């Protein structure tokens, strides 16, 4: 058995899928470079990312399977669940065999796993749209730290590029040290290793105080339901909510 080692990007995964398909191999694992797990029964094989090969796989998915299958594969990849790369490969192999009907094969394990991973990622990205809290930094940049379960920064960025198109902002995934950065024209994903508190704009603390006061004033004490609140806004997200700080 072999295990592939990629650079952790979606293009890297597609390159691994290209190599596995044409080598007639089914890797036991597809690891990111910093997530290698040694095994006496598996031979590690480093796969260099090749944009041309990745594009060929991407176009093949889109034209020989479906656009929906490509979306499912990408969203499942962003879930970062264990061995999702291998599950995506098995899902796509089935797709290349049966075509656009692959998503109707819900009894197949690979379809179930990819669909569930995709669903979790998309659901969290939609939930996060109502949870992200920006704060103004010195220099006029709006900064929002988040710590999602899945790698959803690239999914939420387009929404804020439309809604906050006249403001520079950064959505920082502190768990993954990456951020979506917007310059009032385009947004991009960048590596960010900021561990210290960033300097706030002079008025920001007053705005936060008013927001907390508003949050407190609209609450109806007699109807407090912490269990229901945690259901709609899990406590693992509270760390980055201004009103919960």
């Amino acid at each position: 058995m072999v295990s592939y080692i990629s650079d952790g990007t979606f293009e890297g995964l597609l390159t691994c899928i290209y190599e596995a398909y044409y080598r007639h191999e089914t890797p036991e694992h597809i690891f990111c470079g910093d997530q290698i797990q040694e095994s006496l029964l598996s031979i590690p094989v480093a796969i260099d990312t090749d944009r041309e090969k990745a594009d060929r796989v991407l176009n093949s998915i889109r034209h020989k399977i479906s656009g929906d299958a490509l979306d499912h594969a990408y969203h499942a990849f962003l879930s970062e669940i264990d061995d999702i790369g291998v599950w995506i490969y098995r899902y796509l192999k089935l797709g290349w065999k049966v075509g656009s009907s692959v998503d109707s094969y819900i009894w197949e394990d690979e379809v179930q796993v990819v669909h569930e991973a995709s669903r979790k990622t998309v659901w969290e990205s939609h939930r996060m749209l109502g949870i992200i809290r920006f704060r103004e930094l010195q220099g006029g940049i709006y900064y929002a730290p988040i710590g999602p379960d899945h790698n959803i920064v690239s999914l939420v960025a387009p929404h804020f590029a439309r809604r906050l198109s006249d403001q520079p902002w950064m959505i920082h995934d502190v768990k993954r040290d990456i951020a979506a950065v917007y310059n009032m024209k385009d947004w991009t994903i960048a590596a960010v290793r900021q561990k210290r508190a960033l300097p706030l704009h002079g008025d920001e603390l007053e705005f936060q105080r008013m927001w907390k006061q508003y949050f407190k004033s609209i609450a109806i004490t007699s109807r407090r339901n912490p269990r229901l609140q945690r259901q709609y806004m899990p406590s693992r997200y509270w760390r980055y909510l201004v009103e919960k700080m």
Side-chain angles (χ1 to χ4, degrees):
M1 296 293 292
V2 298
S3 292
Y4 286 178
I5 304 169
S6 77
D7 64 358
T9 64
F10 189 57
E11 289 79 10
L13 172 63
L14 294 181
T15 305
C16 288
I17 290 173
Y18 178 97
E19 295 293 346
Y21 190 85
Y22 285 101
R23 295 181 188 186
H24 303 288
E25 293 179 337
T26 299
E28 184 179 11
H29 304 285
I30 298 178
F31 294 123
C32 297
D34 58 352
Q35 297 177 339
I36 301 173
Q37 299 176 15
E38 299 203 7
S39 171
L40 295 176
L41 303 178
S42 183
I43 302 172
V45 178
I47 304 294
D48 294 329
T49 298
D50 186 312
R51 177 54 70 89
E52 182 178 349
K53 292 177 180 179
D55 285 344
R56 289 180 65 180
V57 175
L58 187 147
N59 289 328
S60 179
I61 298 170
R62 182 180 287 121
H63 296 116
K64 294 183 179 180
I65 308 177
S66 68
D68 287 342
L70 180 58
D71 287 342
H72 281 310
Y74 179 59
H75 294 150
F77 165 77
L78 294 177
S79 73
E80 300 181 336
I81 68 173
D82 290 343
D83 279 334
I84 192 59
V86 174
W87 284 110
I88 291 172
Y89 176 48
R90 291 176 55 181
Y91 167 76
L92 294 177
K93 280 187 67 176
L94 178 62
W96 283 314
K97 180 179 179 181
V98 304
S100 60
S101 63
V102 62
D103 290 319
S104 66
Y105 283 63
I106 56 175
W107 58 87
E108 298 289 352
D109 289 345
E110 51 266 46
V111 177
Q112 292 181 27
V113 171
V114 168
H115 279 194
E116 179 66 11
S118 175
R119 184 193 65 80
K120 287 181 177 180
T121 302
V122 172
W123 172 243
E124 185 176 40
S125 69
H126 285 307
R127 167 182 275 171
M128 192 62 65
L129 295 180
I131 296 177
I132 289 176
R133 300 287 188 267
F134 287 93
R135 58 213 66 184
E136 188 177 5
L137 304 180
Q138 291 180 9
I141 297 175
Y142 289 84
Y143 171 80
I146 60 174
D149 296 331
H150 311 296
N151 188 356
I152 62 169
V153 167
S154 63
L155 300 183
V156 300
H159 170 82
F160 290 101
R162 293 190 299 270
R163 292 292 301 274
L164 302 176
S165 60
D166 61 342
Q167 301 170 0
W169 50 255
M170 174 190 297
I171 302 174
H172 181 196
D173 185 338
V174 298
K175 290 174 62 176
R176 296 170 179 84
D177 289 329
I178 60 174
V181 182
Y182 178 72
N183 62 3
M184 295 191 292
K185 292 182 180 179
D186 305 296
W187 64 269
T188 188
I189 300 296
V192 176
R193 292 177 174 83
Q194 176 64 42
K195 300 301 182 183
R196 294 179 299 175
L198 296 171
L200 299 176
H201 186 275
D203 296 329
E204 178 60 27
L205 290 178
E206 178 61 17
F207 285 129
Q208 290 189 13
R209 186 195 66 78
M210 290 189 293
W211 174 248
K212 292 177 183 178
Q213 183 60 38
Y214 170 76
F215 181 77
K216 182 178 179 180
S217 66
I218 63 173
I220 303 174
T221 304
S222 61
R223 300 186 65 179
R224 288 184 69 250
N225 188 335
R227 182 177 180 182
L228 184 63
Q229 186 182 42
R230 285 192 295 270
Q231 178 180 335
Y232 284 100
M233 188 181 292
S235 57
R236 64 182 179 275
Y237 298 133
W238 291 4
R239 177 181 177 185
Y240 303 108
L241 296 177
V242 172
E243 60 269 29
K244 289 292 186 180
M245 289 168 58

